[in-house]
């Protein structure tokens, strides 16, 4: 006799009975919660669109990636004069890879520009890149056809080439070119695939045109010793790339006899700071949106609480009678709580549904019409936000009903049933 | 012709001793006061009262004498300050809210001057309400409610809302509701107070039937002719029992004759 039977028609008859009797009042209350959750989800969805838009502009470059290259020194050190230009070699890359923990992938790159490339009667002049296989993961690149260079290519110094999509088109037309040979400065390389940027932007033109070969092969075929131009590496998951950056730069300075306090000598760059500051900005915006949304929602919930208080007051006699008939305080509390949770949940769920549909519809329209805003892209409602909102609603309903429910449980049947 | 036989308290006591009747209600030195910050109003000033199982009792007394307060204490709707109260052999001292609810639901049926039917429920739903708090299945409740409505002669009105019923009909619905849990005792505060004399008569007939089945009935009334239809009248004055007399009802007499 402790709990109220949730699946008994009387339990729901009570709730619908009150709702029917006070249509306008219940409706307005429900509207408050509806609007609160609608606004919350809608602004969060729009915020997500803004965020997606801005992050899209980063390209799809991994955010935990570090670029390292040599520059002229500025501080004398151990007999070396300033202005010296350190040379980075494959040994440096291997050293960093083997001696510094927290590196996920690493790849050097050396670029030879304006090389003569011939297939049959077609001749082009393009950039040749010598790399390791991991470069495709470090840069925002993807394979269009076939494959990228792999570990075996690098180890065995194979004469294979992956061709930028535009160059492939110029050289092979409709053919993928895979399996055929391309002559680079007279040397034949077998084509294993074509590649390009994940997203075509003005600054990814080069990726459309370059030809990638194993760096080891490049050194054997085109000379240049062990030299590399720069290398790229990524931090292991959960490792801050700026910390990795410090370790790498310090180690390289030591290796190349560069003063530890020299601001130059080893240059490096990563997107963490930029990324971080934008992420912070959006963290702030999202927090603000939650704040505003929750505020609106709270107003709705206070409204429900208020209505429930009035309802309890109006139903004092009924509650007194129920007590006389054997209702326990717990059953009275459940009755009011269920009613409150019911009103908030239904109206809130509708609000959630409407705003999700609106945000999703907006996204669908943008996709269908090919709309492309600079800083707005793919607005969406996170599943976790939706679930969070639902949980919030049930909790809110309970909170809203709690004070009225306790009040109801304390109704004195003698007072309530007094014959006036 | 009305024949009334008054029996003194001591004589009743004698009868009780000679023919041990179950005690339904036993009150010993029950005291109750209403306190505000500044005043204390003593309403029950030491009530000693025994009501046997199957009795038909009326409580009378001037306004403010404490009749309703006493009935509320008996009905576990209100607590008392001191003394002892045994209902059906069990002590009713310091009950928790839950225990109180349980005893009310299982042992007691209530009647009210203003009926206290729920306006949004039909007659049968109103009658079924106490069974809801016994977790009785809905169909079973409905069936029983109709059974009890039939007993009070209102089966045809089962689907009507209280506003569609006359005062007398509403009180009969309320009595059906009080009876549906098969209580040991019916407590009613001025059940005929809002009814005309003809309907009052019908309602009292109903109480008589209930009592004939062995259910203890205690009601509060202002009207002498209502009190005369019960078998025993207790007179309250200023929070104390001033009189206690037995009647022989005319109805009984005429049957016996
Ligand atoms: N909740 C309360 N708080 C304070 N005083 C109360 C309360 N209930 C009743 N009283 C007082 O207690 C006294 C007895 O009240 P009670 O209702 O028992 O009288 P009654 O005999 O039923 O009177 P009536 O015939 O008018 O119904 C009255 O003086 C009343 O004013
Ligand atoms: Mg009274």
């Amino acid at each position: 006799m402790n709990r109220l039977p949730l699946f008994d028609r009387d339990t729901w008859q009570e709730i619908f009975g009150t709702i029917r009797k006070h249509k306008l009042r219940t409706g307005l209350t429900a509207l408050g919660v509806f609007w609160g959750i609608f606004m919350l989800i809608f602004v969060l969805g729009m915020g997500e669109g803004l965020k997606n838009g801005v992050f899209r502009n980063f390209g799809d470059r991994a955010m935990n990636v570090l670029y390292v290259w040599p520059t002229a020194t500025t501080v004398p050190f151990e007999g070396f004069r300033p202005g010296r230009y350190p040379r980075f070699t494959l040994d440096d890359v291997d050293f960093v890879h083997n001696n510094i923990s927290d590196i996920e992938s690493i790849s050097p790159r050396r670029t030879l520009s304006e090389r003569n490339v011939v297939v049959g009667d077609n001749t082009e002049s393009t950039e040749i890149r010598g790399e390791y296989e991991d470069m495709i993961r470090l840069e925002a690149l993807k394979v269009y056809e076939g494959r990228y260079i792999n570990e075996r290519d690098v180890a065995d110094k194979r004469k294979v080439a992956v061709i930028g999509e535009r160059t492939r088109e110029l050289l092979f037309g409709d053919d993928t070119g895979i399996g055929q040979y391309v002559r680079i400065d007279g040397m034949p390389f077998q084509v294993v695939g074509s590649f390009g940027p994940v997203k075509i932007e003005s600054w990814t033109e080069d990726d459309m045109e370059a030809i990638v070969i194993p760096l080891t092969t490049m050194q054997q075929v085109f000379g240049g010793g062990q030299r590399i131009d720069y290398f790229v590496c990524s931090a292991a998951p959960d490792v801050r790339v700026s910390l990795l950056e410090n370790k790498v730069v310090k180690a390289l300075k030591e290796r190349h006899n560069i003063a530890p306090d020299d601001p130059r000598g080893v240059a490096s760059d990563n997107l963490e700071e930029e990324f971080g500051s934008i992420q912070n900005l959006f963290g702030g915006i999202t927090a603000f949106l939650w704040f505003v949304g929750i505020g609106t929602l709270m107003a709705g919930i206070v409204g429900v609480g208020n209505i429930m208080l009035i309802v309890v007051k109006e139903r004092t006699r009924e509650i007194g009678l129920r007590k006389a008939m054997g209702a326990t305080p717990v059953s009275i509390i459940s009755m009011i709580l269920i009613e409150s949770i019911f009103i908030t949940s239904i109206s809130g769920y509708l609000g959630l549904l409407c705003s999700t549909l609106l945000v999703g519809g907006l996204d669908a329209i943008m996709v269908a019409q090919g709309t492309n805003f600079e800083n707005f892209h793919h607005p969406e409602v996170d599943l976790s936000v939706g679930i969070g909102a639902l949980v919030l609603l049930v909790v809110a309903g309970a909170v809203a009903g709690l004070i009225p429910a306790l009040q109801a449980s304390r109704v004195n049947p003698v007072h309530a049933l007094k014959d006036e | 012709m009305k024949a009334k036989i008054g029996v003194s308290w001591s004589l009743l006591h004698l009868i009780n001793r000679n023919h041990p009747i179950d005690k339904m209600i036993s009150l010993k030195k029950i005291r109750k006061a209403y306190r505000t910050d500044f005043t204390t109003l003593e309403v029950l000033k030491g009530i000693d009262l025994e009501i046997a199982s199957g009795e038909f009792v009326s409580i009378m007394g001037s306004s403010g004498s404490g009749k309703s307060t006493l009935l509320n204490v008996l009905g576990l709707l209100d607590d008392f300050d001191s003394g002892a109260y045994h209902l059906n052999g069990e002590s009713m001292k310091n009950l928790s809210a839950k225990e109180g609810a349980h005893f009310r639901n299982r042992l007691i049926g209530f009647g009210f001057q203003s009926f206290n039917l729920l306006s949004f429920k039909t007659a049968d739903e109103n009658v079924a309400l106490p069974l809801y708090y016994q977790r009785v299945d809905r169909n079973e409740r409905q069936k029983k409610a109709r059974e009890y409505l039939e007993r009070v002669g209102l089966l045809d009105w089962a689907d009507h809302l209280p506003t569609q019923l006359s005062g007398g009909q509403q009180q009969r619905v309320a009595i059906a509701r009080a009876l549906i849990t098969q209580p040991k005792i019916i407590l009613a505060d001025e059940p005929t107070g809002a009814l005309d004399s003809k309907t009052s008569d019908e309602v009292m007939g109903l109480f008589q039937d209930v009592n004939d089945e062995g259910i203890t009935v205690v009601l509060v009334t202002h009207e002498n002719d209502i009190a005369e239809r019960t078998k025993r009248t207790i007179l309250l004055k200023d929070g104390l029992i001033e009189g206690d007399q037995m009647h022989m009802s005319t109805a009984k007499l005429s049957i016996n004759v």
Side-chain angles (χ1 to χ4, degrees):
Chain A
M1 219 162 93
N2 253 344
R3 279 182 307 111
L4 208 63
L6 241 190
F7 298 104
D8 194 299
R9 215 183 91 189
D10 278 12
T11 308
W12 294 99
Q13 199 189 22
E14 293 319 314
I15 294 166
F16 294 129
T18 4
I19 289 174
R20 229 179 296 127
K21 260 203 319 211
H22 311 288
K23 278 196 200 89
L24 181 68
R25 211 171 56 188
T26 312
L28 288 175
T29 310
L31 190 67
V33 176
F34 173 90
W35 188 244
I37 204 83
F38 180 86
M39 283 310 282
L40 173 66
I41 297 302
F42 184 71
V43 294
L44 286 176
M46 291 296 109
E48 205 62 21
L50 211 59
K51 190 160 137 186
N52 288 339
V54 169
F55 279 109
R56 184 181 53 169
N57 293 341
F58 270 88
D60 291 279
R61 220 168 290 265
M63 296 307 155
N64 61 340
V65 163
L66 173 66
Y67 290 78
V68 187
W69 66 96
T71 62
T73 60
T74 57
V75 177
F77 187 67
E78 290 183 352
F80 290 101
R81 293 161 153 245
R84 179 171 52 96
Y85 221 99
R87 284 205 147 202
F88 281 7
T89 65
L90 275 183
D91 288 344
D92 289 310
V93 174
D94 290 342
F95 174 81
V96 166
H97 194 41
N98 294 333
N99 291 287
I100 293 176
S101 53
D102 299 336
I103 288 182
E104 192 179 47
S105 343
I106 190 163
S107 171
R109 180 180 276 170
R110 189 173 142 210
T111 306
L112 307 172
S113 52
E114 304 287 311
R115 294 299 158 135
N116 212 0
V117 180
V118 181
V119 172
D121 296 336
N122 290 341
T123 302
E124 294 294 331
S125 170
T126 188
E127 171 187 313
I128 310 296
R129 295 171 177 175
E131 296 176 357
Y132 280 1
E133 69 279 2
D134 273 345
M135 193 56 111
I136 189 156
R137 276 197 275 148
L138 293 165
E139 290 251 272
L141 301 174
K142 69 171 187 197
V143 169
Y144 281 46
E145 294 281 352
R147 63 171 180 85
Y148 210 66
I149 57 170
N150 62 27
E151 210 178 336
R152 292 289 299 277
D153 298 335
V154 173
D156 298 349
K157 302 179 186 173
R158 287 175 176 166
K159 287 191 191 148
V160 293
V162 189
I163 307 182
E165 176 61 12
R166 189 167 301 143
T167 303
R168 181 203 60 75
E169 206 181 325
L170 292 171
L171 293 174
F172 296 103
D174 289 342
D175 198 307
T176 60
I178 293 171
Q180 301 191 45
Y181 286 86
V182 52
R183 287 182 172 276
I184 303 171
D185 279 358
M187 299 297 292
F189 284 76
Q190 187 170 31
V191 176
V192 293
S194 57
F195 78 101
V198 170
K199 197 163 287 136
I200 299 164
E201 305 276 5
S202 55
W203 62 86
T204 57
E205 289 290 312
D206 284 355
D207 295 330
M208 294 292 284
E209 288 164 9
I211 292 179
V212 172
I213 60 174
L215 181 54
T216 47
T217 316
M218 177 183 269
Q219 287 169 343
Q220 191 178 54
V221 174
F222 300 108
Q226 290 280 82
R227 200 171 71 79
I228 64 167
D229 294 336
Y230 60 92
F231 68 87
V232 190
C233 61
S234 61
D238 301 328
V239 174
R240 293 192 52 183
V241 70
S242 55
L243 295 180
L244 180 64
E245 181 176 23
N246 292 341
K247 281 199 284 184
V248 170
V249 169
K250 185 164 174 279
L252 285 174
K253 278 182 174 170
E254 234 165 70
R255 246 172 99 76
H256 290 273
N257 298 307
I258 299 165
D261 56 346
D262 193 336
R264 310 285 297 269
V266 178
S268 60
D269 196 12
N270 67 71
L271 291 173
E272 184 185 85
E273 233 170 79
E274 223 182 319
F275 185 73
S277 68
I278 290 183
Q279 210 158 31
N280 280 345
L281 176 68
F282 276 102
I285 290 176
T286 307
F288 177 71
L289 294 183
W290 271 101
F291 180 74
V292 172
I294 298 249
T296 317
L297 195 59
M298 289 279 271
I301 287 158
V302 169
V304 174
N306 232 330
I307 294 296
M308 294 311 296
L309 267 182
I310 297 174
V311 165
V312 166
K313 235 196 161 83
E314 278 184 357
R315 289 165 69 184
T316 303
R317 180 174 279 267
E318 177 198 330
I319 291 164
L321 176 80
R322 286 176 180 279
K323 285 191 151 183
M325 300 291 115
T328 56
V330 173
S331 72
I332 298 283
I333 288 174
S334 334
M335 182 172 83
I336 304 295
L337 277 188
I338 291 172
E339 189 171 322
S340 171
I341 292 173
F342 180 77
I343 296 177
T344 31
S345 299
I346 293 290
S347 52
Y349 180 73
L350 284 177
L352 183 65
L353 201 70
C354 287
S355 55
T356 306
L357 287 178
L358 185 65
V359 170
L362 216 63
D363 187 38
I365 289 172
M366 279 176 65
V367 169
Q369 303 208 329
T371 318
N372 209 346
F373 295 116
E374 176 76 16
N375 282 324
F376 191 81
H377 171 66
H378 186 40
E380 61 186 339
V381 176
D382 210 358
L383 182 67
S384 64
V385 170
I387 291 172
L390 273 182
V391 171
L392 196 70
L393 280 175
V394 175
V395 172
V399 169
L402 199 61
I403 293 172
L406 289 175
Q407 188 131 327
S409 78
R410 283 194 294 261
V411 162
N412 180 340
V414 172
H415 288 198
L417 294 170
K418 247 200 177 89
D419 296 312
E420 301 299 353
Chain B
M1 193 206 106
K2 272 186 183 176
K4 272 188 275 177
I5 302 169
V7 182
S8 73
W9 171 245
S10 53
L11 184 54
L12 179 75
H13 217 69
L14 212 69
I15 294 169
N16 280 350
R17 227 183 262 157
N18 294 342
H19 311 275
I21 308 169
D22 299 341
K23 272 185 230 164
M24 180 52 62
I25 283 171
S26 157
L27 297 182
K28 291 211 171 65
K29 293 196 167 50
I30 291 289
R31 300 184 78 91
K32 178 169 181 65
Y34 289 111
R35 291 184 178 80
T36 63
D37 287 346
F38 306 105
T39 61
T40 299
L41 180 67
E42 294 238 28
V43 181
L44 302 179
K45 299 174 182 169
I47 302 276
D48 288 305
L49 176 63
E50 294 204 342
I51 296 176
S53 182
E55 278 200 78
F56 191 6
V57 181
S58 55
I59 300 174
M60 293 194 77
S62 56
S63 184
S65 56
K67 305 182 295 294
S68 296
T69 306
L70 177 59
L71 206 70
N72 289 335
V73 167
L74 291 180
L76 308 173
L77 295 173
D78 215 345
D79 46 16
F80 50 96
D81 298 337
S82 64
Y85 172 19
H86 286 81
L87 175 62
N88 200 31
E90 284 186 78
S91 172
M92 297 291 125
K93 187 115 188 127
N94 297 328
L95 293 182
S96 70
K98 193 178 152 189
E99 290 165 334
H102 179 79
F103 282 122
R104 284 195 297 274
N105 185 247
R106 299 284 161 165
L107 294 181
I108 306 170
F110 289 94
F112 308 94
Q113 180 176 347
S114 51
F115 327 128
N116 282 317
L117 299 176
L118 298 184
S119 57
F120 52 89
K121 282 181 181 281
T122 56
D124 60 344
E125 288 168 345
N126 265 291
V127 173
L129 184 66
L131 293 183
Y132 173 65
Y133 290 106
Q134 285 185 9
R135 310 294 289 269
V136 174
D137 168 73
R138 184 179 172 84
N139 289 333
E140 181 66 23
R141 286 201 312 259
Q142 207 88 2
K143 212 181 105 211
K144 271 216 154 150
R146 288 176 167 269
E147 220 171 88
Y148 277 84
L149 274 178
E150 186 163 26
R151 278 193 50 179
V152 300
L154 288 176
L155 186 56
D156 293 343
W157 300 83
D159 297 329
H160 287 66
L161 291 171
T163 46
Q164 298 165 323
L165 303 176
S166 72
Q169 287 173 322
Q170 288 189 53
Q171 192 60 295
R172 274 145 71 191
V173 171
I175 291 169
R177 177 181 64 188
L179 292 173
I180 197 166
T181 55
Q182 295 177 292
K184 295 235 180 276
I185 180 166
I186 299 280
L187 301 173
D189 197 347
E190 300 189 37
T192 59
L195 305 175
D196 60 40
S197 58
K198 186 174 163 289
T199 357
S200 295
D201 221 49
E202 286 169 18
V203 166
M204 284 310 290
L206 209 48
F207 279 123
Q208 180 67 61
D209 293 345
V210 168
N211 181 241
D212 287 345
E213 285 175 26
I215 297 173
T216 314
V217 177
V218 179
L219 50 86
V220 168
T221 182
H222 275 296
E223 296 153 88
N224 273 315
D225 50 340
I226 296 294
E228 275 163 17
R229 296 197 54 173
T230 67
K231 292 179 205 151
R232 176 183 173 193
T233 298
I234 289 156
L235 186 65
L236 275 191
K237 191 181 177 193
D238 274 346
L240 283 169
I241 293 180
E242 201 193 45
D244 188 341
Q245 63 171 183
M246 303 286 275
H247 321 278
M248 193 66 76
S249 95
T250 40
K252 274 266 173 241
L253 213 62
S254 53
I255 289 166
N256 289 343
V257 169

